[in-house]
């Protein structure tokens, strides 16, 4: 069986009676897909996906009445800058989205390593930031509460699809590469 027939068979199995445009798009993606050059997705530990050394955490929760408004005021006050989160040296990014008429929040983040270590870092390195934000969530026990990991896991949803551009590059390595590049550029400027 040639590659095109194999691809068409897989597309038919996956998409069945889906629109032709969708089938064509999947066929084209499968022709370009090289599984040998891409990291496989695995488990981040307790919950969540991991690609290479980078993991994801996506959680949705119900907000207390007025919670979205309070959080928006906090986000506005700090102009969206949570630089203190740099204390968690494994944190790539974090984002907050309000939805369902401001009654729910989506918290999504990517980080290096495994889930339990990441949550421990939040509890020890930025506990005030965590409580400041998540006290607006129904049932939040507090970051230092022994049940906080169960609470977070109960609201977390593992990503079904996820892409990481540099799955084997940690935050620490990225910072080191930026410093090295900056020093190199300064050196080149001096000798030019």
């Amino acid at each position: 069986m040639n590659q095109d027939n194999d691809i068409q068979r897989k597309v038919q199995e996956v998409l069945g009676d889906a629109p032709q445009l969708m089938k064509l798009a999947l066929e084209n993606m499968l022709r370009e897909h090289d599984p040998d050059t891409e990291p496989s997705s695995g488990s981040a530990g307790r919950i969540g996906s991991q690609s290479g050394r980078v993991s994801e955490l996506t959680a949705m929760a119900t907000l207390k009445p007025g919670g979205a408004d309070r959080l928006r005021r906090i986000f506005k006050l700090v102009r969206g800058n949570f630089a203190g989160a740099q204390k968690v040296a494994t944190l790539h990014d974090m984002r907050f989205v309000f939805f369902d008429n401001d009654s729910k929040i989506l918290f999504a983040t990517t980080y290096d390593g495994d889930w339990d270590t990441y949550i421990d870092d939040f509890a020890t390195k930025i506990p005030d930031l965590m409580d400041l934000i998540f006290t607006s969530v129904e049932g939040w026990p507090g970051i230092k509460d022994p049940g906080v990991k169960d609470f977070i896991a109960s609201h977390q949803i593992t990503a079904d699809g996820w892409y990481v551009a540099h799955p084997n590059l940690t935050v620490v390595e990225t910072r080191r590469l930026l410093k090295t590049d900056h020093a190199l550029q300064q050196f080149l400027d001096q000798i030019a």
Side-chain angles (χ1 to χ4, degrees):
M1 184 181 290
N2 70 29
Q3 181 187 12
D4 278 348
N5 287 342
D6 189 42
I7 288 173
Q8 289 173 352
R9 180 186 55 76
K10 288 178 181 178
V11 167
Q12 185 59 35
E13 286 174 10
V14 171
L15 295 180
D17 63 349
Q20 189 59 33
L21 182 61
M22 182 183 268
K23 290 179 180 179
L24 180 59
L26 182 57
E27 285 178 19
N28 290 337
M29 283 182 60
L30 289 174
R31 281 188 189 91
E32 295 174 10
H33 182 75
D34 182 359
D36 295 330
T37 62
E38 298 173 14
S40 60
S41 186
S43 172
R46 184 170 181 176
I47 190 168
S49 292
Q50 187 173 63
S51 180
R53 295 160 63 186
V54 180
S55 300
E56 64 83 25
L57 186 157
T58 305
M60 294 189 297
T62 301
L63 290 166
K64 294 176 182 174
D69 184 51
R70 279 189 301 278
L71 288 170
R72 280 194 181 100
R73 290 193 311 263
I74 292 167
F75 296 162
K76 184 177 178 180
L77 176 68
V78 299
R79 297 190 317 262
N81 182 352
F82 293 102
Q86 288 183 13
K87 292 176 184 175
V88 179
T90 58
L91 174 63
H92 285 262
D93 64 71
M94 63 182 182
R95 57 215 162 273
F96 305 90
V97 178
F98 303 109
F99 64 102
D100 215 4
N101 294 319
D102 286 353
S103 67
K104 296 187 187 290
I105 189 169
L106 169 95
F107 172 66
T109 181
T110 54
Y111 60 95
D112 300 324
D114 104 343
W115 190 89
D116 278 292
T117 303
Y118 185 58
I119 302 304
D120 290 342
D121 281 350
F122 272 116
T124 59
K125 296 178 180 173
I126 56 170
D128 291 332
L129 177 59
M130 296 305 295
D131 284 337
L132 176 67
I133 292 170
F134 292 105
T135 295
S136 291
V137 170
E138 289 286 344
W140 177 251
I143 193 66
K144 296 198 182 239
D145 186 282
V148 74
K149 287 183 178 181
D150 291 335
F151 178 86
I152 294 168
S154 74
H155 289 83
Q156 191 173 341
I157 302 162
T158 299
D160 290 313
W162 178 46
Y163 170 76
V164 180
H166 302 285
N168 293 308
L169 192 59
T170 67
V171 173
V172 170
E173 291 166 339
T174 301
R175 289 179 182 153
R176 188 191 74 230
L177 288 171
L178 288 171
K179 286 180 184 178
T180 302
D181 182 62
H182 180 71
L184 176 62
Q185 295 306 319
Q186 282 185 324
F187 173 73
L188 292 174
D189 288 345
Q190 289 175 354
I191 64 170

